[in-house]
């Protein structure tokens, strides 16, 4: 362990940030006690600027409040907050065919459905985590059944409703095997008879096929099997996402087969952090082009909160597993960026969006893709890991 | 006319920019002589970074090269360039049902179809403008027939394939009546028997319903009839788009019914320019929120090339029609911003994307939404208008 690194001081600092800043802000502002569920579009001061309820976020918040309750002391306010969302998503969140909507009105009427499978993933994870808090067996069965739907959609993407066209390349997007692995890890915990254990090696292989060790990069999109796709899509790097995939793999590898993927996962985190960090202005880029052609995403050079959340836990875990000082330096550098750019000490919570130079572009605390999830998840994961480090 | 304003000097400068910079760059780099059509993803130096052919842009470039040929001297290279794209889009651009794809591979295989009607609009306009260059009657008939499809899709949006859900608000988006009016103006020219002349008043009404004179704003999305929509969608301002709608209306009003909409159109341009201009760093914002809540678009504060193109012609036209000096000041201010931020005097062409402070975020000259269209269109429109001003 590095001389100057004090795990218990870090644990105390991050615990305070988790409970007294972030969780306090969201408990205070996000609960819709009138219609159930959560307000996820919160302005800087917590006021609601849009009442649309985005299902990714409703489900993620059910998961997060439940996880806090399950792993961090059983505070009844957390379970009540989880129940508020759980009742809303189970009452309003599903299509007649058993898929999950993407967004709902405040009262729960459907607004939009995506031609993707992520709403279903988060729904399954929410139900599972909540059922672990309450021992609700029928709910646990619904979580498993929704994962059947997720796997069916992943295996048969035409069921998502997007036409399959002749010129459309076959793409393996990093997000899909990542989410399948993440969701499977969630559901498999404590279940010896989990039906998809035999599939996880395949999803791990799919994740690993995104790594190009020669160029030390992790590509966001590859052909099935890992060959490079042509054009901008094939050159896309999403460093925060690759770091997240790295720590998913690290957790999976350590939990399962003696760690045969550990080196690869450590490389994913190291290479993506090195490539993604902006040496001039600090922070992790949102997108990059692997061959330095122009990224086509308008927001490519912005600094978002969530890649920094992924990097915080990913590098701490990588340091704990590898013992390499480099990862501890990444961890501290990431925290320093978060501390000076993202935490709102005036109104509470964390900001989400900065321009390349680190100036805030958005004052919002929650939006269609930001809620009570990445920040408390990374803080909780870091706190639990720091406890392990203290106790070893 | 303002003392210091010299229309012939401006005409010469903008003609030079149009022909010797912009058109020269795109003629040199965009023509795919092997497979037909155009490369629209061009890096700073004109090299191709992605060979996907986006149909909005393929059609817009056919229109632009044809329009240049028709209005500006009949250069055979322009007609040849137009034919290269025309043959590609008519061979590969349509679905079996007669809609237009959104994107194709380099060879012309379909990649993606949007659940919107704009591909069809630009296809119709491309065929019409080209048919005016060559007198190709069957092609002109195809253009008209595609506009039938456009109107059918606008009147029956469920045909676009997006599910109509209970919680989804009825939205009148500014883009749809604008494009219907623009396309109708294109097709009606010189056709006394144009079938949709009786519909244009309705589309004008829809555009006007986006104006809130009390707050001096133009809302991007309203309820049918003009009432305000709730949430971020209902507060969205897109100043460049509103300025473009303003000059569409000005042209329509002057051409048709003695100008009953002229004052409204002038206000659209004035209010949107005033609200959209960034007093601190210059340039026109991409998006704003009418009540200063957080815009949810990540790129809201970026400065894009096309709102400045719309403002350049929109303010010059507004000045010519109204005689108000304010519009001339807007015109000169817009040109100054373009001149110092967007024109690439080293490699040719114009840049497209800047951050709020005016630093370039992208080096590209063409991408999935930028091609040889907004820049040469505004320059050509300004040059023709300056000719009129000189001759009056």
């Amino acid at each position: 362990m590095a001389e100057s690194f004090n795990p218990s001081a870090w644990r105390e600092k991050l615990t305070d940030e988790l409970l007294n800043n972030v969780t306090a802000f969201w408990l205070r502002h996000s609960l819709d006690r009138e219609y159930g569920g959560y307000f996820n579009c919160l302005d800087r001061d917590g006021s609601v600027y849009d009442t649309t309820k985005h299902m990714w976020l409703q489900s993620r918040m059910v998961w997060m409040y439940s996880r806090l309750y399950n792993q961090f002391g059983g505070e009844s306010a957390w379970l009540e907050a989880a129940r508020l969302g759980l009742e809303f998503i189970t009452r309003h969140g599903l299509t007649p065919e058993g898929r999950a909507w993407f967004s709902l009105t405040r009262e729960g009427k459907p607004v939009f459905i995506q031609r993707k499978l992520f709403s279903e993933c988060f729904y399954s994870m929410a139900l599972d985590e909540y059922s672990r808090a309450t021992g609700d067996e029928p709910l646990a069965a619904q979580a498993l059944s929704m994962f059947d739907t997720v796997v069916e959609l992943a295996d048969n993407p035409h069921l998502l409703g997007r036409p399959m066209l002749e010129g459309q390349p076959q793409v393996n997007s990093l997000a899909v095997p990542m989410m399948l692995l993440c969701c499977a890890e969630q559901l498999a915990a404590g279940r010896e008879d989990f039906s998809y254990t035999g599939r996880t090696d395949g999803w791990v292989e799919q994740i690993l096929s995104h790594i190009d060790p020669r160029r030390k990069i992790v590509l966001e999109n590859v052909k099935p099997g890992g060959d490079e796709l042509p054009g901008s899509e094939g050159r896309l790097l999403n460093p925060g996402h690759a770091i997240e995939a790295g720590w998913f793999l690290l957790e999976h590898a350590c939990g399962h087969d003696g760690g045969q993927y550990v080196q690869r996962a450590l490389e994913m985190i190291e290479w993506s952090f090195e490539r993604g960090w902006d040496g001039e202005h600090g922070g992790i880029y949102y997108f990059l082009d692997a061959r330095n052609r122009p990224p086509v995403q308008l927001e490519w050079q912005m600094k978002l909160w969530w890649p920094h959340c992924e990097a915080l836990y990913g590098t701490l875990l990588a340091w704990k597993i590898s013992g390499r000082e480099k990862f501890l330096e990444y961890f501290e550098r990431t925290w320093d960026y978060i501390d000076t750019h993202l935490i709102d000490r005036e109104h509470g919570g964390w900001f989400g969006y900065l321009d390349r130079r680190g100036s805030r572009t958005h004052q919002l605390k929650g939006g269609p893709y930001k809620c009570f999830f990445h920040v408390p998840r990374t803080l909780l994961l870091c706190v639990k890991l720091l406890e392990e480090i203290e106790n070893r």
Side-chain angles (χ1 to χ4, degrees), chain A residues 276-289:
Chain A
W277 190 266
D278 178 351
E280 194 175 343
H281 297 284
I284 299 167
Y285 287 113
Y286 191 8
F287 295 112
L288 291 165
D289 183 287

Side-chain angles (χ1 to χ4, degrees), chain A residues 116-182:
Chain A
K116 298 179 179 173
L117 50 70
F118 304 115
S119 277
E120 288 78 7
C121 287
F122 298 124
Y123 186 90
S124 171
M125 292 178 70
L127 267 55
D128 183 73
E129 191 67 25
Y130 185 85
S131 75
R132 291 171 192 265
T134 57
D136 184 332
E137 282 305 319
L139 201 66
Q142 287 176 48
L144 289 166
S145 156
M146 182 55 90
F147 192 61
D148 292 336
T149 302
V150 170
V151 176
E152 190 189 5
L153 292 169
D155 290 344
N156 306 283
H158 65 276
L159 298 176
L160 291 164
R162 195 182 280 273
M164 310 302 264
L165 301 174
E166 191 192 348
Q168 197 184 0
Q170 292 274 317
V171 177
N172 182 263
S173 148
L174 183 57
V176 173
M178 267 176 74
M179 275 311 306
L180 289 165
L181 186 67
C182 173

Side-chain angles (χ1 to χ4, degrees), chain A residues 226-240:
Chain A
D227 285 348
E228 192 171 339
L229 281 163
S232 296
E233 185 179 26
R235 295 189 304 268
L236 185 66
L237 306 180
N238 182 335

